[in-house]
């Protein structure tokens, strides 16, 4: 990957979209990539729409702005499809990932004429089976890594395990569930 790959994340405050975007940047950085990962802040509060961004490249990144024409869009909350133009600027050769139990065919009708690739994952189901609680950012992160190919899957899981071991040093029960969620999401995205 020598080209610049850009991601835009849409979620609601408290769902972990910002955290997932920063984790993606962190893992890519640890793998030797040049990265930017940043949220766009406004008067956000729990449940309000938020946006976060990632840029990943093998070369130095010289642009420092929001991302207006992303290669990939991640929608952590399906209800945002009705209130936010999530496909705005999305490249036709890119893709969108939506957290939903619906199929990609069902989601197409809600995407304002977008004709590119659409992927879905039921992050709620993944979380219930692996964590027992609903934290959609972990499965969404794994799913976008699989779709984008920006990081090799095995290396991604290995780096995430190291990161999660550190993060959950005092909560080892969370480590196992999050690792299972990552692995299950890599298989469940469709």
């Amino acid at each position: 990957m020598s080209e610049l790959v850009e991601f835009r994340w849409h979620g609601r405050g408290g769902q972990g979209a910002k955290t997932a975007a920063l984790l993606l940047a962190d893992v890519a950085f640890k793998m030797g990539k040049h990265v930017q990962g940043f949220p766009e802040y406004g008067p956000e509060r729990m449940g309000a729409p938020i946006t976060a961004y990632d840029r990943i490249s093998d070369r130095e990144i010289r642009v420092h702005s929001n991302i207006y024409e992303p290669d990939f869009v991640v929608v952590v909350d399906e209800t945002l499809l009705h209130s936010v133009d999530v496909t705005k600027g999305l490249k036709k050769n890119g893709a969108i990932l939506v957290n939903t139990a619906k199929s990609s065919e069902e989601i197409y009708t809600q995407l304002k004429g977008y004709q590119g690739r659409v992927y879905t994952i039921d992050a709620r189901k993944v979380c219930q089976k692996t964590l027992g609680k609903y934290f959609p950012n972990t499965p969404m992160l794994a799913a976008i890594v699989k779709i984008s190919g920006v990081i090799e899957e095995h290396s991604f899981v290995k780096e995430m395990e190291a990161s999660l071991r550190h993060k959950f040093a005092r909560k080892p029960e969370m480590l196992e569930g999050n690792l299972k969620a990552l692995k299950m999401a890599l298989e469940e995205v469709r």
Side-chain angles (χ1 to χ4, degrees):
M1 175 191 87
S2 59
E3 66 193 67
L4 180 67
V5 180
E6 297 179 314
F7 299 82
R8 187 173 64 217
W9 297 74
H10 294 280
R12 293 193 180 276
Q15 292 179 324
K18 178 186 103 171
T19 300
L22 296 177
L23 276 170
L24 177 59
D26 187 50
V27 170
F29 178 76
K30 288 177 180 174
M31 305 209 47
K33 307 285 186 188
H34 293 268
V35 302
Q36 293 177 353
F38 54 98
E40 178 178 46
Y41 284 109
E44 281 82 13
R45 62 195 177 286
M46 187 71 77
I50 66 102
T51 308
Y53 305 93
D54 285 296
R55 285 190 178 96
I56 300 174
S57 179
D58 284 334
R59 297 190 178 136
E60 183 178 356
I61 301 171
R62 296 184 179 267
V63 63
H64 298 280
S65 67
N66 285 350
I67 295 172
Y68 302 103
E69 294 182 349
D71 298 287
F72 298 95
V73 168
V74 181
V75 181
V76 181
D77 189 316
E78 177 184 7
T79 65
L80 291 171
L81 297 177
H82 307 293
S83 59
V84 175
D85 185 1
V86 297
T87 59
K88 184 177 182 178
L90 179 57
K91 294 177 182 169
K92 291 184 185 195
N93 62 343
I96 186 167
L97 169 66
V98 180
N99 175 11
T100 182
K102 297 175 184 170
S103 70
S104 56
E105 292 78 20
E106 293 173 281
I107 294 298
Y108 264 117
T109 62
Q110 300 176 52
L111 296 180
K112 301 181 182 186
Y114 176 70
Q115 298 297 311
R117 295 177 293 152
V118 176
Y119 294 87
T120 61
I121 185 166
D122 188 347
R124 182 174 299 279
K125 179 180 89 173
V126 172
C127 290
Q128 288 172 341
K129 287 185 175 183
T130 59
L131 295 166
K133 295 180 181 178
Y134 185 49
F135 297 111
N137 60 339
T138 300
M140 298 303 289
L141 174 59
I144 199 60
V145 165
K146 176 154 187 131
I147 291 165
S148 69
V150 72
I151 301 169
E152 190 274 322
E153 289 177 38
H154 176 74
S155 299
F156 165 73
V157 171
K158 184 178 174 185
E159 284 298 327
M160 281 299 298
E161 181 175 2
S163 180
L164 292 169
R165 276 192 192 287
H166 177 72
K167 180 177 181 174
F168 296 122
R170 295 179 188 246
K171 297 180 182 178
E173 69 281 2
M174 293 297 292
L175 172 65
E176 184 179 334
N178 274 279
L179 286 174
K180 286 180 180 177
L182 286 172
K183 292 172 184 175
M184 184 176 178
L186 290 170
E187 296 173 10
E188 292 281 320
V189 66
R190 55 197 189 284

